Amino acid sequence: MIRHAPVLAATALALLLPSAATAASLTSTPHGPVDLGDRVAYRVSGTGCEKVGVAVRLTAGPQARVLSGPRTTPRPTADGGCAGIARVPDFAALRASGWEPGDRLGVRLESRLGVVPLRFARIEADLGRPVAGSPEIVPAQDQDTGERDRAVRSSSGDVVSLGRVDVRRADSVGVRLCVTAGLDTAALPSFGPLLTPERLEPPTLISIRQDGPDGPPLVGPVDIASDPQEISRLSTLGFGGCYRLVVLPITGRVQEDAPELFLRTEAGLPGGLLVNSVDIAGTGAKLPTAAPPAPGGMRTIFDGTSFDGWDTNNCVLRDGAAVNARTGNDLDITGCSLTWRERMENVVLRFRMRREDVYDNAGIYLDDQEIQLRAVGEYLPGGYFGRFAARWQKLSSFPDYDEIEVVQLGARHVVTVNGRTVTDVMRAGGPPAPYRLRVVAQPEWSYRVGAEAGFGNEGFPDVTRPSELGAFWFKDVRMLRCAGPDDPVCRRLADARRGQVPVPEGAPDPLPPEPTMRCGVRRAYVVTLARTGLRKVRATVDGRRVAVRRVGARRVRIVLPARASGRYRVRVTARTASGRLVRADRRPR
């Protein structure tokens, strides 16, 4: 398991990126994995670096359409350079371009000083380069993607290059795969309420290697097949089809910052494995996700200073968070349970959370329904246990915190992790009765994975003990009580990223966008310029042109777009009668 030194948020820009060089340049994390909507740190060196515009650009789909994130400019730092943060365009903008899951998606950080290549965190296997054997590109027929999606059909000895990826701040990979050869075990008896029947599949081993098809393994070799005879927790359930997302911890030592990665099929029946994509899981190249703006009426029910209002068991307060109590050493950690005493229904819940180890296990319980947080096996972090498996691995690597949102409106449950919707499901029994919220960490369920006995080695009698135990940290728990399942504020939160995962049958239609003009929200900004008699007045907000109107000899009124919030940047340029350029640069609070 790879360990990473803590990175404090206040110094993240300085620690994650190289120091400024003498020659003017743009630097970031070459080949670093990012997701839609993520924030990416960068540095600019050279004289006048604070004036250099930087943006993340996507090249999307078969038409190679280019989408740009907001143009940003960095701020001076103590070492003489500049540092800034750029944002990757969001899901809505990408889908509006005609892109579909499975299409090509290039990501890069651009300025007039140069380009830094990045990687989309979900790497399409069919877009890789075959380097050994005879891998075949075939229609994916993935239950979650469209007709354009392709996958790699492989046999033992087949290898595909995934390209260079910076894996320094990753802790695992998620392989989207389907084992096509095997026996459907639907008729087999159940092994209990948790260990339900799964498909019986022949042993199928894969690895991800570095710097060459026979290079040092980063992951595996590991058996990714499901075998209910061993009562394995390698989940084939909750996906609605053959394809599933298998999360495999990084167990090899990283050979360089951004090695070329190779997906290799080590063993299996001929043509028996389909691989659609590979997720790079963990923090990657992004900065920790910031908490979104709180809607009116949301209140904090746990602030990390006390357990007021909660019933707890084996939890302690540490560094503003609730965490498992330690009773002696790293192997002697209790399970931690917190229960909010008030009953609730139709709510939006937000948490800040982190885990110490990728193997650790926890859950958010809405009465008896678990929103799972375990990454290795079962229904994956954010999954609706027993019904819907999370479709994306979005948790960060320790010590970074994650922002998790659970929206429960009637029977609908929507889970978002770090700005990406991973679950959208309707409760089979209809809306739940009023319930108590529980947060439970179960470190005693931490197991290791190996090729010799399948995934987890959790058969009976269970004699496996983990070599170490980690813990979960929870803080800043917030709750918004909705007026009911049709509350427009809560419904818009549930639909904020609608379509990132399959939308369930019976989900209500999305509401129309909120009106642009709202009472109490600034929709215009007045700038006073240094001179009178100005011509050719132009204005931008966060780098995009906006309407401007004269309201005096030196004053202009800027019309703000609906998205402007927080510390947006307003720039105004004009020229005097003699042609002299006049500028104004503001950051309204």
Side-chain angles (χ1 to χ4, degrees):
M1 185 62 196
I2 299 174
R3 294 293 186 186
H4 302 287
V7 180
L8 300 178
T11 59
L13 295 180
L15 294 178
L16 292 179
L17 301 172
S19 60
T22 301
S25 63
L26 170 70
T27 55
S28 185
T29 309
H31 312 289
V34 295
D35 189 17
L36 303 174
D38 281 350
R39 301 180 305 150
V40 182
Y42 64 86
R43 290 186 63 94
V44 178
S45 65
T47 303
C49 58
E50 70 278 5
K51 299 178 181 179
V52 175
V54 180
V56 176
R57 289 193 168 88
L58 305 180
T59 304
Q63 304 300 321
R65 293 179 177 171
V66 177
L67 299 105
S68 294
R71 181 179 180 273
T72 66
T73 53
R75 296 186 177 184
T77 58
D79 63 1
C82 296
I85 298 173
R87 187 176 292 275
V88 182
D90 61 17
F91 173 76
L94 183 61
R95 289 302 296 267
S97 73
W99 178 90
E100 294 181 0
D103 287 347
R104 185 181 299 274
L105 185 63
V107 190
R108 61 193 184 275
L109 193 67
E110 284 192 359
S111 78
R112 60 178 174 79
L113 298 178
V115 175
V116 178
L118 302 171
R119 295 298 304 269
F120 186 43
R122 176 156 287 179
I123 301 171
E124 297 297 329
D126 60 290
L127 299 177
R129 176 174 54 88
V131 296
S134 302
E136 182 184 3
I137 307 302
V138 298
Q141 297 182 321
D142 189 319
Q143 65 269 14
D144 287 345
T145 61
E147 295 182 355
R148 291 203 300 256
D149 194 15
R150 299 290 183 267
V152 174
R153 184 186 297 279
S154 64
S155 305
S156 179
D158 289 348
V159 183
V160 174
S161 170
L162 303 176
R164 297 187 63 187
V165 185
D166 191 304
V167 292
R168 288 175 296 172
R169 302 180 70 217
D171 56 25
S172 56
V173 299
V175 184
R176 178 84 178 180
L177 58 84
C178 167
V179 178
T180 60
L183 172 67
D184 191 349
T185 60
L188 292 182
S190 171
F191 297 102
L194 296 181
L195 304 176
T196 51
E198 299 188 357
R199 291 187 296 267
L200 176 61
E201 299 169 344
T204 306
L205 278 69
I206 66 171
S207 66
I208 295 180
R209 297 180 177 269
Q210 308 171 69
D211 298 326
D214 299 312
L218 184 73
V219 174
V222 58
D223 186 0
I224 50 80
S226 176
D227 186 352
Q229 294 179 356
E230 294 175 354
I231 316 181
S232 167
R233 286 185 180 232
L234 176 55
S235 179
T236 58
L237 303 176
F239 288 95
C242 184
Y243 279 93
R244 60 185 185 265
L245 187 64
V246 178
V247 178
L248 304 172
I250 291 176
T251 52
R253 184 182 296 275
V254 179
Q255 299 296 301
E256 55 181 286
D257 289 349
E260 185 177 1
L261 300 183
F262 295 83
L263 175 65
R264 173 170 167 168
T265 302
E266 302 281 347
L269 295 182
L273 176 64
L274 288 172
V275 178
N276 193 342
S277 57
V278 176
D279 292 0
I280 306 299
T283 299
K286 74 179 181 71
L287 291 174
T289 302
M298 178 167 277
R299 65 185 178 115
T300 298
I301 60 176
F302 176 66
D303 63 2
T305 63
S306 75
F307 288 124
D308 290 347
W310 296 83
D311 293 325
T312 67
N313 184 32
N314 294 325
C315 305
V316 296
L317 296 174
R318 185 179 301 148
D319 294 335
V323 64
N324 307 64
R326 299 178 186 267
T327 57
N329 56 61
D330 284 345
L331 292 181
D332 194 5
I333 301 177
T334 64
C336 167
S337 174
L338 302 94
T339 303
W340 181 244
R341 297 185 187 123
E342 298 178 12
R343 290 191 178 274
M344 61 181 68
E345 61 178 333
N346 297 316
V347 293
V348 177
L349 300 166
R350 290 178 177 173
F351 305 77
R352 300 289 287 175
M353 185 219 79
R354 68 181 180 184
R355 61 183 179 189
E356 292 188 7
D357 196 286
V358 70
Y359 290 96
D360 292 340
N361 187 25
I364 298 168
Y365 287 83
L366 315 182
D367 196 17
D368 61 350
Q369 179 58 56
E370 178 185 1
I371 305 299
Q372 192 168 79
L373 297 177
R374 187 185 192 194
V376 179
E378 299 186 89
Y379 288 79
L380 309 182
Y384 186 94
F385 191 90
R387 179 152 186 181
F388 190 97
R391 296 305 206 265
W392 189 283
Q393 282 287 286
K394 189 63 175 168
L395 293 185
S396 302
S397 308
F398 188 82
D400 293 334
Y401 273 92
D402 299 295
E403 179 72 20
I404 298 176
E405 178 182 271
V406 180
V407 181
Q408 178 265 310
L409 292 176
R412 191 180 184 196
H413 293 68
V414 180
V415 184
T416 300
V417 180
N418 288 332
R420 171 173 280 275
T421 296
V422 299
T423 291
D424 193 346
V425 66
M426 300 293 288
R427 184 175 182 268
Y435 54 85
R436 288 190 175 94
L437 168 68
R438 288 189 300 140
V439 181
V440 179
Q442 300 166 315
E444 66 273 16
W445 284 10
S446 296
Y447 292 92
R448 292 300 178 260
V449 57
E452 69 282 353
F455 196 96
N457 188 25
E458 298 185 20
F460 297 115
D462 182 8
V463 296
T464 301
R465 289 293 298 171
S467 59
E468 62 185 34
L469 286 173
F472 275 78
W473 301 61
F474 294 92
K475 68 177 183 178
D476 194 17
V477 181
R478 292 141 286 158
M479 176 181 63
L480 172 65
R481 290 187 183 272
C482 308
D486 294 323
D487 186 312
V489 172
C490 298
R491 283 185 60 182
R492 287 191 174 97
L493 290 173
D495 283 334
R497 298 164 187 86
R498 188 183 182 104
Q500 284 190 325
V501 299
V503 178
E505 183 178 351
D509 293 333
L511 294 177
E514 285 185 283
T516 301
M517 300 299 292
R518 290 179 295 162
C519 180
V521 178
R522 173 185 279 171
R523 296 269 55 93
Y525 183 70
V526 176
V527 177
T528 302
L529 298 169
R531 292 178 176 272
T532 60
L534 298 174
R535 303 173 181 176
K536 297 183 179 179
V537 181
R538 292 181 173 84
T540 62
V541 175
D542 287 339
R544 297 190 180 184
R545 286 282 297 273
V546 294
V548 58
R549 183 169 65 87
R550 298 280 188 95
V551 293
R554 294 170 52 198
R555 301 172 71 210
V556 293
R557 182 176 180 270
I558 309 302
V559 178
L560 299 176
R563 60 181 172 79
S565 61
R567 294 201 66 198
Y568 48 89
R569 187 167 196 162
V570 175
R571 283 184 168 177
V572 181
T573 61
R575 291 192 180 274
T576 65
S578 63
R580 182 173 179 178
L581 183 65
V582 177
R583 294 177 178 171
D585 198 324
R586 304 286 187 270
R587 287 186 179 271
R589 291 184 180 275

